[in-house]
Amino acid sequence: MRGEIIKKPQKPVRKELEKNLSEKFVWAIAYGSSIGWGAFILPGDWIKSAGPIGATIGILLGALLMIVIAVSYGALVEKFPVSGGAFAFGYLGFGKYIAFFSSWFLTFGYICIVALNASAFSLIFKFLFPGLMTRGKLYTVAGWDVYVTEIILSSVILIIFGWISVKGASFSGNLQYVFCVILAVVVIMLFISSMFTKDFSFGYLSPIFNENMGALQSILMILAVAPWAFVGFDNIPQTAEEFNFAPSKTFKLIVFSLSASAFTYVAMILLTGWTVKDASRLGGDLFVTGSVIQSAFGYIGVGILSVAILMGIFTGLNGFLMSSSRLLFSMGRSGVMPRIFSRIHPKYNTPYIAIAFITLLALCSPWLGRTALTWIVDMSSTGVSIAYLVTCLSAYRLFGQRNTLHYDLKYKWMALLGVIVSATFLILLLFPGSPASLKLPSYIALAVWLIIGIIFFMIRFRKLKAMSKETLDHLILDKEINKSS
C-alpha cells in the first residue's frame, strides 16, 4: 500500500548490570568462595584418606591445574566481559543447546554449595554448643538427625545473605573483602602459633601418605576434589559485566585467588597434621581441626578458629549467591531460561528474582540432613568439571581458528591443556575404578538432575529453537546486531 511505513524489527532490549566491582572486591569474591568452610572442616578427613603430605601435594597440584584451566577463563573474559561467563562461553563454542546443559549442571552445583555453607553454619554451632543444637529432633535422614534448631539457624543465615545480595554488588563486595581479610589474618596467626605449642612435632606428619593406598593413589584422591575445593575462582567470569576495571586483569586476579586458597588449605592441613598426637582421633570428632586447636590453644583458640570458619562460610554464601544469580540472570536475559530471572531491582539494580529463587531452593536444604546433602554436593564437582571442560573447549575453538581476529597460538595450546586437565578430573570422578569416584547416592543424584534437565529442556525446546543466532549473540555476548565481532 502506497504511503505505508515499513517498520524495521526492533533491537531486543539487553538489560545490563552496573559496573561497580573493583579489583580487590573481585579477588575477595574468588578467594572467599574457594575457601568456604572446607579448609577448616575437612583437613582431618583428608589426612585420614591421603596422609598429611599426600593431601598437601594433592592440593598444590590441584591449584596448578586450576591455573591451567584459568588461562582459558581469563582470555575469554578479556574478549567477552559479560555476566554468566560460563554460559556465554558454552554458547560461544557450541551454541545454545550445549550452553543450556553445561550451565544447568553448573547452576545446580553453585546452589548446592550455597546450601552446604548454610548447613556448615549450624555445624559450627553444633560443635560450640552441642546441647543447644540437639533440641527439637524432627527425624533422621541417612543416619543424620535433623533438629529444628539447625533448620532455623541455617534458614536465617540464608535469608540474611539473600538480602545482602539484593542490596547490590558493591555492598556485598565490600563485606566480602572485609571477611576475607579477617579470614587470612586468622589463618596466618594460627599457622605460625601452632609451631610454638607443646603439641607441635613434625613427627606427627607420619605416615606422610595413606599406607594402604600408596603415594600415587593418595595424591590422586585429593587431586580429584580440586574442582570442588577451588570452585569459586570461576565466580570471577560470572560477574565480569560488573567490573569497573579492565577485563585483561582477570587472569592475574584468578591466579592470586587460587594461590591464596592453596596456602589456606595447606596451612590448615599441616597445622592439623603436626598437632595431632593420636591418629585414631582422625575422623572421630565432629571436625578434627577444631579439636586440635582446642587442645593446643584452649577455648580462646577455638573462638579464633570459629571466627575464621564463620568468615569462610559467609564468603562462600556471599560469593556463590552472587555468581549463581548472575549465571541465572544471563540465561534469563537470553531467553534460554524464563525471562523472569532477568528482572532487575529498580533501586539496587541487582537480579533480585534470580537471587530470591536461589535462596528459596537453598532453604529446602536444611530439611534434607547433612548426609543426604553431601551426596548431592559430591556430584556437583561433576557439574563444575563439565563447565571447565566446555569453557576450555570453547577457548580452543575460538583461539584456534586461523584467519580470524581471535587467532592466538599460545591460548590455543593452553586451552587444549585445560581440556585434558578437565577431562582428567571428570574421569577421576566418574570412572568406577578411580580412587576418587563418586559414591552410588551421588551417581543417583547426578542422574536425577540430568533427567530433570532433559524434561525442562524438552519443555523449552520450541522457544529455544525459535531463537535466532543474531539475537542470541547480542543478548549473551553483547554483540551489535548486523555487525561482525
Side-chain angles (χ1 to χ4, degrees), residues 231-251:
V231 63
F233 84 83
D234 51 318
N235 285 352
I236 290 181
Q238 313 305 343
T239 58
E241 191 170 304
E242 297 163 87
F243 292 175
N244 66 4
F245 55 90
S248 58
K249 297 180 179 180
T250 299
F251 178 65

Side-chain angles (χ1 to χ4, degrees), residues 67-365:
I67 289 174
V68 171
I69 293 172
V71 172
S72 293
Y73 278 91
L76 289 172
V77 168
E78 186 175 350
K79 300 289 184 182
F80 303 97
V82 295
S83 282
F87 169 64
F89 305 153
Y91 170 76
L92 178 69
F94 299 98
K96 53 194 173 186
Y97 301 130
I98 296 296
F100 170 86
F101 278 105
S102 64
S103 299
W104 175 261
F105 280 105
L106 185 60
T107 303
F108 186 63
Y110 283 170
I111 293 171
C112 286
I113 297 170
V114 170
L116 199 60
N117 271 286
S119 73
F121 183 70
S122 62
L123 187 66
I124 183 62
F125 276 85
K126 199 170 190 177
F127 176 77
L128 295 172
F129 312 106
L132 176 65
M133 297 303 297
T134 52
R135 294 179 182 176
K137 180 180 176 181
L138 298 176
Y139 45 80
T140 301
V141 179
W144 184 271
D145 295 331
V146 178
Y147 296 91
V148 68
T149 45
E150 289 184 71
I151 292 173
I152 292 172
L153 202 59
S154 297
S155 299
V156 167
I157 198 66
L158 278 168
I159 292 169
I160 289 172
F161 275 90
W163 172 80
I164 288 172
S165 293
V166 171
K167 283 279 287 183
S170 180
F171 178 65
S172 57
N174 268 302
L175 282 178
Q176 188 84 351
Y177 183 70
V178 172
F179 293 154
C180 284
V181 169
I182 295 172
L183 189 154
V185 168
V186 170
V187 168
I188 292 170
M189 185 170 62
L190 288 173
F191 181 70
I192 294 174
S193 300
S194 69
M195 300 181 191
F196 298 95
T197 65
K198 59 181 177 61
D199 297 319
F200 168 76
S201 173
F202 285 123
Y204 297 151
L205 295 178
S206 180
I208 60 177
F209 300 106
N210 185 317
E211 293 179 313
N212 297 324
M213 298 175 64
L216 181 59
Q217 281 195 314
S218 296
I219 293 169
L220 286 177
M221 175 169 285
I222 303 302
L223 185 62
V225 304
W228 178 87
F230 292 106
V231 63
F233 84 83
D234 51 318
N235 285 352
I236 290 181
Q238 313 305 343
T239 58
E241 191 170 304
E242 297 163 87
F243 292 175
N244 66 4
F245 55 90
S248 58
K249 297 180 179 180
T250 299
F251 178 65
K252 177 189 72 174
L253 290 171
I254 291 176
V255 172
F256 285 167
S257 68
L258 285 171
S259 301
S261 301
F263 168 78
T264 303
Y265 279 120
V266 169
M268 298 312 298
I269 290 170
L270 294 178
L271 181 158
T272 303
W274 62 39
T275 51
V276 173
K277 292 180 179 179
D278 184 6
S280 65
R281 290 173 58 188
L282 294 171
D285 297 305
L286 188 58
F287 72 101
V288 177
T289 302
S291 300
V292 166
I293 295 295
Q294 183 175 338
S295 176
F297 299 104
Y299 285 102
I300 294 176
V302 172
I304 294 172
L305 177 66
S306 299
V307 170
I309 296 173
L310 289 175
M311 294 303 102
I313 291 169
F314 292 166
T315 56
L317 283 168
N318 198 35
F320 283 104
L321 270 170
M322 183 180 291
S323 61
S324 56
S325 63
R326 271 52 177 184
L327 186 58
L328 205 53
F329 165 78
S330 178
M331 296 173 76
R333 179 169 60 185
S334 68
V336 171
M337 291 287 277
R339 292 191 187 277
I340 190 172
F341 292 122
S342 67
R343 289 189 183 177
I344 296 176
H345 196 282
K347 180 179 179 181
Y348 301 120
N349 203 51
T350 52
Y352 70 106
I353 297 294
I355 294 168
F357 176 76
I358 291 161
T359 303
L360 285 172
L361 277 183
L363 282 169
C364 300
S365 64

Side-chain angles (χ1 to χ4, degrees), residues 38-73:
F40 310 100
I41 305 294
L42 296 177
D45 295 334
W46 288 345
I47 292 171
K48 184 180 180 182
S49 300
I53 304 303
T56 297
I57 294 172
I59 287 294
L60 291 175
L61 284 176
L64 289 173
L65 294 179
M66 288 296 107
I67 289 174
V68 171
I69 293 172
V71 172
S72 293
Y73 278 91

